[in-house]
Amino acid sequence: MARIITFFLNFFYGLFKKFIPYQLYAYLAVGALNTALNILIFALSYHFLLPKGGISIAGIHFESYTISLVIAFLITVPTGFWLARTFAFEVGVTEKTDGSKKLIKYFLVVLQGLGTDYLIMKTLIVIFQVEPTIAKIISTVITLSLNYLLQKYFTFVKKK
C-alpha cells in the first residue's frame, strides 16, 4: 500500500512542484484521502446507520450528527497518523523516533481538531441551518488548516 501511495504522490507532484513544497503537497494529498474517508464515514453513519432523531443513552440525548462525527473520528485517527507520518512528514522513513510520543502528540492535535470541527459544524447547523453533511465539509476544511500547522510544528518536528 505504501508503495502505491508513494508512486501516486511522486507521479502527480510534478503538477504542483512550482507552487508548493513536497511536504505541504504530500500533507494535502494524504490528508485529502483521509478527509474523504472521514466525510464518507460521517455521511454513511448519519444518513444510513443512525436514526435521524438521534439516540438517548441513560437519559442523555445525542444528535445523530454528533455520533457520526465521533464514529468517523475514531476510524480515521489511525489512518491519518500513518499517512501523515509516513508520507507527509516522512518520520517513519527518514529517522528513528519514538512512535508512541508522536502518536500521543498526533492524538492531542486531532482531538483539538475534533473539538474545533464539532464547534464549527454545530454552529453551522444550529445557527445557520446548514445541512449536516455540508456543515461537516465546511468545518473540515477550516479545521485542516489549523491541524497542518500543529502537526508540522508540534507533532512531527524533526530533531536537529
Side-chain angles (χ1 to χ4, degrees), residues 58-127:
I60 301 171
H61 184 74
F62 297 95
E63 294 294 339
S64 292
Y65 56 79
T66 303
I67 299 167
S68 297
L69 182 71
V70 172
I71 291 169
F73 173 81
L74 292 174
I75 293 172
T76 57
V77 164
T79 58
F81 177 74
W82 179 74
L83 288 167
R85 179 181 173 155
T86 305
F87 302 104
F89 300 104
E90 298 178 354
V91 174
V93 176
T94 60
E95 64 184 59
K96 292 186 178 194
T97 62
D98 184 357
S100 61
K101 287 181 183 177
K102 294 222 181 285
L103 180 59
I104 290 167
K105 286 181 168 185
Y106 180 85
F107 185 74
L108 290 173
V109 171
V110 295
L111 194 57
Q112 164 281 136
L114 176 65
T116 301
D117 197 15
Y118 174 76
L119 291 174
I120 294 169
M121 188 178 74
K122 182 82 169 176
T123 300
L124 290 170
I125 293 168
V126 173
I127 296 175

Side-chain angles (χ1 to χ4, degrees), residues 1-159:
M1 181 63 100
R3 287 182 185 180
I4 294 169
I5 294 170
T6 300
F7 171 79
F8 279 105
L9 285 173
N10 291 333
F11 182 78
F12 288 107
Y13 182 56
L15 299 171
F16 302 96
K17 197 173 196 171
K18 294 180 182 178
F19 308 108
I20 57 176
Y22 184 82
Q23 184 183 61
L24 178 58
Y25 159 78
Y27 181 82
L28 292 173
V30 297
L33 179 65
N34 203 54
T35 299
L37 178 63
N38 183 280
I39 291 170
L40 177 66
I41 293 167
F42 174 88
L44 291 174
S45 298
Y46 178 74
H47 290 289
F48 301 110
L49 182 64
L50 300 168
K52 291 289 184 249
I55 298 174
S56 292
I57 301 171
I60 301 171
H61 184 74
F62 297 95
E63 294 294 339
S64 292
Y65 56 79
T66 303
I67 299 167
S68 297
L69 182 71
V70 172
I71 291 169
F73 173 81
L74 292 174
I75 293 172
T76 57
V77 164
T79 58
F81 177 74
W82 179 74
L83 288 167
R85 179 181 173 155
T86 305
F87 302 104
F89 300 104
E90 298 178 354
V91 174
V93 176
T94 60
E95 64 184 59
K96 292 186 178 194
T97 62
D98 184 357
S100 61
K101 287 181 183 177
K102 294 222 181 285
L103 180 59
I104 290 167
K105 286 181 168 185
Y106 180 85
F107 185 74
L108 290 173
V109 171
V110 295
L111 194 57
Q112 164 281 136
L114 176 65
T116 301
D117 197 15
Y118 174 76
L119 291 174
I120 294 169
M121 188 178 74
K122 182 82 169 176
T123 300
L124 290 170
I125 293 168
V126 173
I127 296 175
F128 298 105
Q129 303 296 307
V130 176
E131 195 276 328
T133 302
I134 301 300
K136 169 65 176 147
I137 292 168
I138 294 168
S139 65
T140 297
V141 169
I142 295 167
T143 302
L144 283 178
S145 302
L146 177 60
N147 281 3
Y148 171 74
L149 295 172
L150 290 171
Q151 296 298 9
K152 181 175 181 172
Y153 296 109
F154 175 68
T155 305
F156 295 109
V157 175
K158 291 186 180 184
K159 295 179 182 178

